[in-house]
Amino acid sequence: MREFAFELAVCAAIEAESDGVVARQLGTRSRVVDVVEIEPGPEFDARTEITSEAIPGPAIESDVGVGRARRATAAIDADPGRAESIADRAVEIGFFEAERRGRKRVVRQATRYPDWIGGLTAIENKPDLGRPGDLERQLRKDVSLSLFDEIVLVTGSYVTGAHLNRIPDPVGVRRFDAETGSFETVREPSRLRSDSAGIAILEESAAKTDIEPIGPERKARMRRRIAERAYGKGWRPEALPGCERAAPRGPPFGPEDALPYCEWKERFVDPARECGPECPEYAPTEPPAVDPDALRDRRTGWKADPGGVARRQAGLGRFGEDEDGE
Ligand code: SF4
């Protein structure tokens, strides 16, 4: 579990030096990435005004526009039930507005989707390079797909030339001191061709390798979906364990935070994996009152409770008939 504490410390340090958003444990086509950093694009502020949540990809990619209302089932590329639930969610978070046309609901975008994604960096944490596990193969997968603009390996180990030789060339390497929160750049990352086609390596065995070519348009969709999930998720655990031994704490460097520290284990713990009746020292109580969203709001450009754009749109009825004529 040392990796979990290392990851929290890495996230705290990256957040402190970033003007974008940081999130943990996001799935891509071929694997789950430890940490993702989204650099802000020119319309980042406009994105923060819409919603604090992730906007569903199919809603962004749909034919629902700003100026004309349409039925979700006609405009969202999904089966009817799923299209309606995607529209429900988009309305709930304020990206779509809904109105009735006769007995049918129609939706339109409350605002144009902004150009807020400046760049994506994938960060792979490996506190101890002496126990590399699958590291080399995972990084090769990431470079092959090139979904991110940059890939960086962060480690607590001293990095030797032999280590560097095993890490694919485009991958940057930073050494991290989890006590001080400081980084030392060992090797700068190379910019990947994230706007070109890539190859997702799905399964590898001695006998065969399953691959899937991913074209530029699909890749752009995947990048936007990752950025949206990162925007909505962040990196702090949502709640602390309901245990008398749990207390909120920040990493050794920097200000206080809402990270789950266990006074019995004398380290940060992963509540989902370590806490509960299975733990011999578990002493149930109300979880400590912490507000990770308030901290994220204070320390980043992300807004926990934006005013929203849907309510500012005046006169839904001023738009013309939707193209379904309903
Ligand atoms: S459940 Fe166990 S690991 Fe979790 S905070 Fe309590 S004592 Fe620590």
Side-chain angles (χ1 to χ4, degrees):
M1 296 315 297
R2 188 175 159 241
E3 295 208 358
F4 181 73
F6 186 84
E7 191 161 292
L8 293 182
V10 167
C11 288
I14 293 173
E15 182 180 86
E17 64 176 33
S18 173
D19 48 6
V21 295
V22 178
R24 289 177 51 240
Q25 299 293 314
L26 291 183
T28 66
R29 184 72 188 92
S30 49
R31 71 186 196 88
V32 175
V33 176
D34 286 342
V35 181
V36 170
E37 181 188 4
I38 314 295
E39 294 158 34
E43 296 179 329
F44 181 80
D45 289 348
R47 173 63 186 85
T48 68
E49 290 301 330
I50 301 172
T51 172
S52 61
E53 308 274 350
I55 301 174
I60 300 167
E61 295 144 19
S62 72
D63 290 334
V64 176
V66 176
R68 62 184 188 185
R70 301 198 59 191
R71 288 176 57 194
T73 48
I76 297 176
D77 186 17
D79 65 63
R82 182 147 182 274
E84 289 292 356
S85 67
I86 290 164
D88 288 346
R89 179 64 182 155
V91 169
E92 185 187 348
I93 62 176
F95 181 58
F96 281 180
E97 294 166 323
E99 63 185 271
R100 289 266 154 210
R101 292 279 170 85
R103 293 169 55 202
K104 303 250 171 61
R105 176 181 74 167
V106 290
V107 289
R108 73 175 101 244
Q109 282 188 22
T111 184
R112 180 180 59 80
Y113 185 74
D115 176 14
W116 72 274
I117 304 163
L120 276 68
T121 300
I123 294 141
E124 182 68 19
N125 292 319
K126 195 54 71 179
D128 182 0
L129 285 179
R131 296 162 54 208
D134 241 4
L135 178 66
E136 192 180 335
R137 193 169 65 91
Q138 288 172 342
L139 292 174
R140 274 196 293 108
K141 280 185 172 185
D142 292 344
V143 171
S144 170
L145 183 54
S146 292
L147 193 55
F148 294 86
D149 302 299
E150 293 182 348
I151 303 167
V152 177
L153 168 68
V154 174
T155 181
S157 297
Y158 176 75
V159 183
T160 65
H163 290 135
L164 285 179
N165 286 342
R166 287 198 294 273
I167 297 163
D169 277 345
V171 176
V173 181
R174 296 176 92 188
R175 195 170 177 209
F176 180 64
D177 183 333
E179 291 294 312
T180 63
S182 56
F183 290 100
E184 175 201 343
T185 298
V186 180
R187 184 169 82 192
E188 292 286 358
S190 305
R191 202 89 182 157
L192 297 169
R193 298 290 307 275
S194 57
D195 56 352
S196 306
I199 302 286
I201 300 172
L202 303 175
E203 288 288 336
E204 271 184 304
S205 68
K208 65 175 183 131
T209 302
D210 287 343
I211 62 163
E212 184 182 5
I214 308 280
E217 280 180 24
R218 184 168 169 210
K219 205 195 260 192
R221 275 202 308 276
M222 291 164 73
R223 283 166 57 82
R224 192 168 51 229
R225 289 184 180 201
I226 288 170
E228 279 295 334
R229 292 211 312 278
Y231 190 86
K233 186 176 184 197
W235 61 272
R236 291 177 175 83
E238 280 175 16
L240 265 64
C243 172
E244 287 175 9
R245 303 297 189 95
R249 197 181 266 201
F253 57 89
E256 281 302 301
D257 211 301
L259 309 181
Y261 187 83
C262 171
E263 288 166 346
W264 174 56
K265 291 193 171 178
E266 298 184 332
R267 59 172 174 77
F268 292 104
V269 288
D270 182 349
R273 294 173 61 188
E274 294 182 84
C275 299
E278 304 288 300
C279 170
E281 288 293 316
Y282 176 56
T285 185
E286 283 297 304
V290 293
D291 189 346
D293 285 352
L295 282 163
R296 190 180 181 205
D297 183 299
R298 235 180 5 256
R299 301 207 183 133
T300 72
W302 177 86
K303 287 187 181 167
D305 191 16
V309 290
R311 277 165 278 166
R312 289 187 204 152
Q313 296 281 320
L316 285 174
R318 69 192 161 88
F319 295 100
E321 289 292 304
D322 69 276
E323 69 177 31
D324 295 320
E326 297 178 80

